Amino acid sequence: MGDKGRRVSIKDVARHSGVGIGTVSRVINNSDRISPETRQKVLNSIKELGYIPNRAAQSMRSHKTKDIAFFIDISNLTFSRIATGTYQYLESQGYTLTLCHIGKNRSTTLEKVKSFLNGRTFDGIILSLPSEENEALNQYLKKVDVPIVTIDRDIPGLVTGVVTDYHGSLQKAVDYLISLGHRGIALVNGLPIIRPSKLITRSFREAMERNGMTVDESLLFHGEYSRDFGAQTMLNLLPRIRHREVTAIVCMHDEIFHGMLRVMKDYHLRCPEDVSVITLEDYELMQLLTPPFTVIRRQLIDMGEKVAQGLINYIQNPELYGQLEPYSLPTEFIIRESCAPPA
Amino acid sequence: MGDKGRRVSIKDVARHSGVGIGTVSRVINNSDRISPETRQKVLNSIKELGYIPNRAAQSMRSHKTKDIAFFIDISNLTFSRIATGTYQYLESQGYTLTLCHIGKNRSTTLEKVKSFLNGRTFDGIILSLPSEENEALNQYLKKVDVPIVTIDRDIPGLVTGVVTDYHGSLQKAVDYLISLGHRGIALVNGLPIIRPSKLITRSFREAMERNGMTVDESLLFHGEYSRDFGAQTMLNLLPRIRHREVTAIVCMHDEIFHGMLRVMKDYHLRCPEDVSVITLEDYELMQLLTPPFTVIRRQLIDMGEKVAQGLINYIQNPELYGQLEPYSLPTEFIIRESCAPPA
DNA sequence: GTGAAAGCGCTAACAC
DNA sequence: GTGTTAGCGCTTTCAC
């Protein structure tokens, strides 16, 4: 902790350069027409005095903060990827990012969002919500009077910033499994209270039907994005895998995947000999597992960047708000060694 | 975006409850002595009008923001763990957390920190810096007049908030390897410009010597916290591993470990048959790798929480600033299956 | 105990 | 073009 001397203010600059504070303000915001000489004079004083505008004061007057709120579950690895992209773009545009960790617990989301937003101002908000069906929250958010953009969520009244396009990859994944000879294919997916889960199920169905298969509804698993759900699902699946009723699994979440893997390990289920597996996210470790896993990859950093881009665009062009299509993030299907013809 | 109606201010509350705005302010900050009746009257008005104090205005006057800046490389998984802990504690104390992603590039750190802090006020700062030896940065930070606390860094003039105690675990790790019969043990470590790397090397040396071994300096590797460094180091080690000159590796960083693993995979080096490996961080996946890895574990969430705790303590008790010992985070040595007697 | 008033540092509206 | 002024919403003397 250093010197506590009063910070130099706009007044000091005005006095030092012999102009009015309004003029200084105009120079800072390079608004209006200002004579080049005056501008230079002021600029010199600013430099000489080491003046830095006080953001709190600026935003109090202008109602702009250059600060974006980001609501997300930061305990997950996916987060750090998305956040990195978001951060980088925001920084490049002179914005800062303030985090709000809403956790996984859906029942506390509203409360967290509310108390976070209380009395604070943001120029915009990015949301990655654990549910689309929190009516109270949705109502509340509609009333917030800054641009809000969601990540992979369809919430009536809110604007979707980015959306993941799993369709093509899922088609490829299912085609691939079927070409390998699989018939009993399980889909392990998130809760259908969010957009991606719904779309994934739909695409999966379509892919199966296109291949002339009927979908066994008991092979469609929906649950929390958690290791527990993954473990439990795998436990359920175990007998059917052993009876060769199920020979392949498509798992659409990384934490769920960890849970499944854990049980596979514990029960000495071999992959791909006993069961073929395709999962989501292409983290480095996916290639380092045994076997290296066949995955659906999405560019998470890109995703974070694109939401931020969309939001800033809306902030700077309010008339566009809600008029643009969400950015559609492509995915890739990457074949490695976790799938084989059923025994 | 909802109604843009003017927010209710302290004035409205004052008028509504028939008191002066000073009184309202006192109630909000529950400062001074206020008669119970007045307090209740004001509280009622606040509730009735749905009044929420404006933070920008509050902090402009009081020079307190209830906001903590967190400088860290958010692209790493370790981050999301630490940040989760920090966030939770801060939230429980009514503080918010604003992120600054400084990245890995040491040469841009000063610039990033500076431009981030420019004109903004924080009640405190938490630092996880990529180097202790950035003199310009250290000088700059000393002048900042709010409490700053570092994570696992010794920077003259700054206060260390939390420190990892690798010593015991490292002793156990080395003892364990030696008891297994290993003699050629390599240590792969970060750059010695940060505290943990130095301490790790020292503890490793001590452990070796205590076991009557002399340390082969060419087996002490220092480098960036990156997969590239890990890969390159493994490549270097390859011939010596094949000649059974090196039979065990202790790797003290997760990303470096990924790089090493990658090369081991590519060169079909088996673990533990060809080389025994111990690594740092006990992420779920560490148990799911083949083999499950023997690790040194640190409680990262705890770590994040403890720094936050220390910082808030200093904020609330400025007279303590720099007087307290950093919190020493314990580590555990967890034996799994990545080590075996050398062939 | 409580009200009135000053002013934090700035932007924007209004003069000239 | 540029100076002056009125607040933004709050905390904090300073009276009473």
Side-chain angles (χ1 to χ4, degrees):
Chain A
M1 311 224 277
D3 63 293
K4 309 229 176 200
R6 199 178 58 70
R7 276 269 302 274
V8 8
S9 82
I10 198 169
K11 260 188 203 155
D12 302 312
V13 177
R15 200 176 314 119
H16 185 271
S17 50
V19 301
I21 63 167
T23 304
V24 179
S25 174
R26 274 168 224 134
V27 171
I28 295 167
N29 302 288
N30 51 79
S31 55
D32 278 4
R33 326 86 321 171
I34 293 214
S35 80
E37 306 86 62
T38 315
R39 149 165 280 116
Q40 197 47 55
K41 215 166 39 178
V42 173
L43 253 21
N44 288 341
S45 296
I46 288 179
K47 186 167 242 168
E48 204 167 318
L49 299 177
Y51 167 68
I52 293 159
N54 177 317
R55 286 230 201 184
Q58 284 182 313
S59 61
M60 192 173 126
R61 279 295 333 217
S62 65
H63 298 284
K64 305 227 157 307
T65 57
K66 285 279 202 176
D67 196 11
I68 305 296
F70 197 173
F71 294 85
I72 196 167
D73 174 9
I74 63 173
S75 67
N76 185 276
L77 173 57
T78 307
F79 158 73
S80 71
R81 296 295 213 275
I82 297 182
T84 304
T86 299
Y87 190 91
Q88 282 167 358
Y89 184 77
L90 252 28
E91 182 187 41
S92 76
Q93 303 298 304
Y95 285 79
T96 53
L97 183 169
T98 297
L99 262 194
C100 179
H101 178 215
I102 48 179
K104 288 191 208 308
N105 185 343
R106 291 192 297 281
S107 64
T108 58
T109 311
L110 171 60
E111 180 193 326
K112 291 219 174 198
V113 170
K114 256 186 173 166
S115 79
F116 184 82
L117 254 23
N118 262 2
R120 318 177 78 228
T121 317
F122 296 95
D123 286 358
I125 297 173
I126 300 176
L127 291 175
S128 173
L129 259 21
S131 161
E132 294 179 353
E133 299 183 345
N134 190 331
E135 258 321 306
L137 175 62
N138 299 352
Q139 288 307 324
Y140 173 78
L141 289 171
K142 260 184 241 175
K143 297 219 197 75
V144 175
D145 74 351
V146 298
I148 300 184
V149 137
T150 64
I151 299 185
D152 236 341
R153 296 291 180 273
D154 272 341
I155 300 181
L158 298 187
V159 174
T160 305
V162 53
V163 127
T164 310
D165 179 13
Y166 293 111
H167 191 75
S169 296
L170 228 32
Q171 302 298 313
K172 286 187 199 155
V174 170
D175 288 357
Y176 172 65
L177 287 175
I178 288 185
S179 76
L180 248 28
H182 292 279
R183 294 299 174 264
I185 305 176
L187 174 68
V188 186
N189 199 357
L191 255 13
I193 53 174
I194 50 172
R195 176 195 165 97
S197 300
K198 292 178 201 159
L199 260 50
I200 284 167
T201 304
R202 190 190 307 164
S203 293
F204 179 78
R205 279 212 154 83
E206 207 177 303
M208 291 292 274
E209 282 158 12
R210 205 173 25 67
N211 277 282
M213 320 264 312
T214 50
V215 173
D216 178 347
E217 299 295 326
S218 73
L219 253 30
L220 262 28
F221 295 86
H222 291 280
E224 300 283 344
Y225 284 157
S226 72
R227 261 171 291 144
D228 280 355
F229 171 63
Q232 186 205 307
T233 304
M234 199 48 158
L235 249 18
N236 286 343
L237 240 22
L238 233 39
R240 302 181 70 175
I241 291 175
R242 294 206 167 119
H243 292 129
R244 318 304 306 140
E245 219 176 299
V246 173
T247 59
I249 300 174
V250 177
C251 174
M252 296 303 285
H253 187 76
D254 59 335
E255 288 195 47
I256 294 177
F257 172 68
H258 286 182
M260 303 189 76
L261 213 53
R262 153 107 274 161
V263 171
M264 287 174 62
K265 198 111 185 167
D266 291 349
Y267 287 81
H268 306 291
L269 211 62
R270 293 163 308 163
C271 174
E273 294 84 348
D274 298 324
V275 63
S276 290
V277 176
I278 294 175
T279 186
L280 179 68
E281 311 299 9
D282 189 31
Y283 300 136
E284 298 72 31
L285 276 181
M286 291 298 180
Q287 304 181 40
L288 301 176
L289 291 170
T290 310
F293 274 80
T294 294
V295 298
I296 291 175
R297 170 199 286 169
R298 46 178 188 165
Q299 242 28 97
L300 294 169
I301 294 193
D302 220 47
M303 187 171 194
E305 202 178 308
K306 289 302 193 306
V307 226
Q309 226 164 54
L311 178 59
I312 298 301
N313 189 18
Y314 286 140
I315 290 175
Q316 291 170 349
N317 308 288
E319 73 281 5
L320 259 38
Y321 189 59
Q323 302 302 309
L324 271 34
E325 287 297 304
Y327 175 80
S328 175
L329 187 83
T331 58
E332 292 169 75
F333 179 56
I334 303 188
I335 296 179
R336 289 204 271 256
E337 301 164 29
S338 60
C339 299
Chain B
M1 311 225 280
D3 63 294
K4 310 229 177 199
R6 200 176 59 69
R7 279 267 302 272
V8 7
S9 82
I10 198 170
K11 260 189 204 156
D12 302 313
V13 177
R15 200 176 313 119
H16 185 271
S17 50
V19 301
I21 63 167
T23 305
V24 179
S25 174
R26 274 166 222 133
V27 172
I28 295 167
N29 302 288
N30 52 79
S31 56
D32 279 3
R33 359 358 47 135
I34 292 214
S35 79
E37 306 84 64
T38 314
R39 151 165 278 117
Q40 198 46 57
K41 214 166 42 177
V42 173
L43 253 20
N44 288 341
S45 296
I46 288 179
K47 185 167 242 169
E48 203 167 319
L49 299 177
Y51 167 69
I52 294 160
N54 176 316
R55 285 232 200 184
Q58 283 183 313
S59 60
M60 191 174 125
R61 279 295 330 220
S62 64
H63 297 286
K64 306 228 158 307
T65 57
K66 285 282 203 171
D67 196 10
I68 304 296
F70 196 173
F71 294 85
I72 197 168
D73 173 8
I74 63 173
S75 67
N76 185 276
L77 172 58
T78 307
F79 157 73
S80 70
R81 297 295 214 275
I82 298 183
T84 304
T86 300
Y87 189 92
Q88 281 165 358
Y89 184 76
L90 253 27
E91 182 188 42
S92 76
Q93 302 298 304
Y95 285 80
T96 53
L97 185 170
T98 297
L99 262 194
C100 179
H101 178 216
I102 49 180
K104 288 192 210 307
N105 184 344
R106 292 192 298 281
S107 64
T108 58
T109 312
L110 172 59
E111 179 194 325
K112 290 218 175 199
V113 170
K114 256 186 172 165
S115 78
F116 185 81
L117 254 24
N118 261 2
R120 319 177 77 229
T121 318
F122 296 95
D123 286 357
I125 297 173
I126 299 176
L127 291 175
S128 174
L129 260 20
S131 162
E132 294 179 354
E133 299 183 345
N134 189 332
E135 259 321 306
L137 175 61
N138 298 352
Q139 288 307 324
Y140 173 78
L141 289 172
K142 261 184 240 174
K143 298 220 198 74
V144 174
D145 75 350
V146 298
I148 301 185
V149 138
T150 64
I151 299 186
D152 235 343
R153 297 291 180 273
D154 272 342
I155 299 181
L158 297 188
V159 174
T160 305
V162 54
V163 126
T164 310
D165 179 12
Y166 292 110
H167 191 76
S169 296
L170 228 33
Q171 303 297 312
K172 285 187 201 155
V174 171
D175 289 357
Y176 172 66
L177 287 175
I178 289 185
S179 76
L180 248 27
H182 293 278
R183 292 301 173 261
I185 304 176
L187 175 68
V188 186
N189 198 357
L191 256 12
I193 52 173
I194 50 171
R195 176 195 166 98
S197 300
K198 293 177 200 159
L199 261 49
I200 284 169
T201 304
R202 190 190 306 163
S203 292
F204 179 78
R205 278 211 154 84
E206 208 177 303
M208 291 292 275
E209 283 158 12
R210 204 172 27 67
N211 278 282
M213 319 265 312
T214 52
V215 174
D216 178 348
E217 298 296 327
S218 73
L219 253 31
L220 262 30
F221 296 86
H222 289 281
E224 300 283 345
Y225 284 157
S226 71
R227 261 171 291 146
D228 280 356
F229 171 64
Q232 186 206 305
T233 303
M234 199 47 159
L235 248 19
N236 287 342
L237 239 23
L238 232 40
R240 302 179 70 175
I241 291 174
R242 292 207 167 119
H243 292 127
R244 318 304 306 141
E245 219 177 299
V246 173
T247 58
I249 300 173
V250 178
C251 175
M252 294 304 284
H253 187 76
D254 58 335
E255 289 195 47
I256 295 177
F257 172 67
H258 286 183
M260 303 189 76
L261 213 53
R262 154 108 273 165
V263 171
M264 288 173 62
K265 198 109 185 169
D266 290 350
Y267 287 80
H268 305 291
L269 210 63
R270 291 161 310 161
C271 174
E273 294 85 348
D274 299 323
V275 63
S276 289
V277 176
I278 294 176
T279 187
L280 180 66
E281 310 300 9
D282 189 31
Y283 300 135
E284 298 72 32
L285 276 180
M286 291 298 180
Q287 304 181 40
L288 302 177
L289 291 170
T290 310
F293 273 80
T294 292
V295 297
I296 292 177
R297 171 199 287 170
R298 46 178 187 165
Q299 247 20 102
L300 294 169
I301 294 191
D302 220 46
M303 187 171 195
E305 201 179 307
K306 287 303 193 306
V307 227
Q309 225 164 52
L311 179 59
I312 298 301
N313 189 17
Y314 286 140
I315 290 175
Q316 289 169 351
N317 308 288
E319 73 281 5
L320 260 38
Y321 189 59
Q323 302 301 309
L324 272 32
E325 287 297 304
Y327 176 80
S328 176
L329 187 82
T331 58
E332 292 170 76
F333 178 55
I334 302 187
I335 297 179
R336 288 205 271 256
E337 302 166 27
S338 60
C339 299

